[in-house]
Amino acid sequence: MKKIIVAIALVGALASCTATERGTAIGAGTGAIIGGVASNSWGGAAIGAVAGGAVGYLIGRSHEHPGYCIYRDRNGRRYEARCR
């Protein structure tokens, strides 16, 4: 019963988030599980959560503007525009 309640709470919490927030949450959770299992310690789970959250953030951010790419002008400034 507890597992069902936790699953419903997670789905409900992630349903209303942006792609970046969902990616960060999923990445952090997955990283914590993998880090904890691989190292068999809380420290490994914490490091995995941070690393997974960072990667999840980057992946989620890339899905917020589909069809747009990041370019650099000749002065080194970054800007977004439609992909060529």
Side-chain angles (χ1 to χ4, degrees):
M1 184 68 175
K2 289 181 185 178
K3 291 180 183 179
I4 293 172
I5 293 171
V6 170
I8 291 171
L10 287 175
V11 169
L14 293 176
S16 62
C17 298
T18 65
T20 302
E21 292 167 343
R22 276 193 304 266
T24 303
I26 292 169
T30 305
I33 291 169
I34 292 171
V37 169
S39 68
N40 199 23
S41 70
W42 287 103
I47 292 171
V50 171
V55 171
Y57 170 79
L58 294 174
I59 292 171
R61 180 135 165 91
S62 70
H63 289 288
E64 281 195 7
H65 295 107
Y68 281 81
C69 294
I70 298 174
Y71 297 103
R72 287 191 187 270
D73 63 9
R74 63 181 107 151
N75 296 324
R77 291 180 296 221
R78 293 171 41 154
Y79 65 94
E80 287 186 16
R82 286 263 181 213
C83 295
R84 297 179 191 176

